[in-house]
Amino acid sequence: MAGNPDFDLYTISEEHEALREAIRPVCENKIAPHAADVDEESRFPSEALDALVEAGLAAPHVPEEYGGAGIDALGTCIVIEEVARVCASSSLIPAVNKLGSLPVILGGGEEIKKKYLPKLGAGEAMFSYGLSEREAGSDTASMRAKAKKDGDSYVLTGQKSWITNAGESEFYTVLAVTDPDGERGRNISAFVVEKGDEGFDFGEKERKLGIKGSPTRELHFDNCRIPADRLIGAEGEGLKIALRTLDHTRVTIGAQAVGIAQGALDFAVGYVKERKQFGKAIADNQAIQFMLADMAMKVETARQMVYVAAAKSEREDKDLTFFGAAAKCYASDIAMEVTTDAVQLLGGAGYVRDFPVERMMRDAKITQIYEGTNQIQRLVMGRQVLKGY
């Protein structure tokens, strides 16, 4: 599935459907049985990681030339969607592996690619992404982390916040200011930091509303010295590489949101067919059918937006910035709506942990926030419209 795919904007190929058919039983048999415990215990979904590594899909996007599966952007979205359908926390394994490593793929030279991508593709390591800080979330250019050149090394100081899979990943793409007196936004560079680097440590795990199986922690750099060959691209190109990365990976968050919404819809449909009130299944009530119709219509619309954006991501179309933001924004809003409606359809049962829809509702919320809040996505889209996207 490597290379430039030849598929229509609004359909997917037999090869992509075969990928879905291959990953679904892995999800249902090896990931879904542990999803509730992963959430309840706030523990990393090691069973999911093992299953995905065994299937060769923990980092499906890694090109074949570096030992990966070489699955295109749409196929990667399908993998993430199917995993998220049963466990949102587990879907962050392939999603964040792409987010963390894409700067290396987009901006790195051959030497740094050969050093890190084969380990990722083989499932020997995971890759996280360090961009945000306590005072630099949406305004990433205001970051304070610094990397000072010292001979054949860089010395990193500062911190990063809200880092997904922190502590579990072996590698981290980290953005830091390399020219404090330089032009804002053009003075930032990107580096690969390894888990074992001296002076690199992690904060405590955040106590979160959802995606509890995916650890979120701060990264701390206390005079962390790394070799100069860990620089991704050239000095000053970091923010450009980071924002280009997000154009692509926002699409994967859209895929995650679609998967969460589909999982909630699937469970709600099964429940309303079984639940009886007034002598008949509540699915026979027109009001329930109208809710299900709206939920399904929204999920399918979101899915089509994500798939179109994925096709544009693979081709690196000029209007990807708009479509990536639109897919992420719409799909995540729909995931929140659909999971909320699923809870409603289950009534009291939807509000307790014996059923998965309350977990799905909690998990869905973060998709409206990370990789750029949906308010920021609307700013991005508005600017693209004004430029004539």
Side-chain angles (χ1 to χ4, degrees), residues 12-267:
I12 61 177
S13 68
E14 291 182 3
E15 193 173 0
H16 290 101
E17 287 295 359
L19 175 62
R20 189 191 304 278
E21 291 175 5
I23 187 64
R24 181 163 289 188
V26 174
C27 296
E28 293 182 343
N29 298 330
K30 297 184 178 181
I31 298 177
H34 306 284
D37 288 341
V38 163
D39 177 71
E40 188 70 28
E41 299 169 13
S42 297
R43 65 173 179 84
F44 182 75
S46 57
E47 298 91 350
L49 177 60
D50 292 343
L52 289 168
V53 169
E54 183 180 359
L57 297 173
H61 68 287
V62 175
E64 291 179 347
E65 62 191 288
Y66 302 107
I71 292 177
D72 62 34
L74 177 54
T76 299
C77 281
I78 289 171
V79 171
I80 293 167
E81 175 190 341
E82 288 297 318
V83 178
R85 180 173 163 265
V86 300
C87 180
S89 292
S90 298
S91 71
L92 285 166
I93 294 170
V96 175
N97 276 339
K98 181 170 182 176
L99 172 64
S101 64
L102 200 57
V104 173
I105 294 173
L106 295 176
E110 197 61 26
E111 185 177 342
I112 198 168
K113 289 178 182 178
K114 287 181 177 178
K115 183 175 182 179
Y116 292 109
L117 295 181
K119 294 179 181 178
L120 178 65
E124 297 172 4
M126 295 195 302
F127 224 124
S128 287
Y129 187 70
L131 176 62
S132 296
E133 297 179 5
R134 298 182 193 122
E135 303 301 325
S138 299
D139 183 13
T140 53
S142 66
M143 68 176 63
R144 298 177 182 176
K146 292 181 174 59
K148 184 177 180 180
K149 187 74 179 294
D150 183 21
D152 59 357
S153 301
Y154 284 90
V155 179
L156 274 64
T157 57
Q159 62 85 223
K160 294 293 174 179
S161 297
W162 314 114
I163 309 305
T164 305
N165 288 344
E168 295 290 338
S169 292
E170 188 68 27
F171 307 134
Y172 300 79
T173 291
V174 175
L175 283 296
V177 173
T178 45
D179 182 7
D181 300 320
E183 182 183 350
R184 185 177 186 270
R186 297 180 183 272
N187 60 346
I188 294 169
S189 303
F191 303 87
V192 175
V193 179
E194 298 182 6
K195 186 177 180 180
D197 287 335
E198 187 175 353
F200 175 35
D201 202 359
F202 305 95
E204 294 298 318
K205 292 181 181 179
E206 302 289 352
R207 298 180 296 170
K208 300 177 297 185
L209 174 71
I211 57 165
K212 294 184 176 182
S214 176
T216 303
R217 304 169 71 177
E218 289 191 342
L219 309 182
H220 297 156
F221 305 99
D222 182 10
N223 293 318
C224 175
R225 184 177 294 271
I226 63 172
D229 63 7
R230 304 258 201 93
L231 176 69
I232 302 171
E235 276 198 14
E237 292 185 346
L239 193 58
K240 180 177 71 174
I241 293 171
L243 296 179
R244 187 180 169 203
T245 294
L246 293 175
D247 281 344
H248 291 273
T249 58
R250 281 170 180 154
V251 184
T252 65
I253 299 304
Q256 181 191 44
V258 168
I260 295 170
Q262 186 67 62
L265 175 59
D266 291 346
F267 193 89

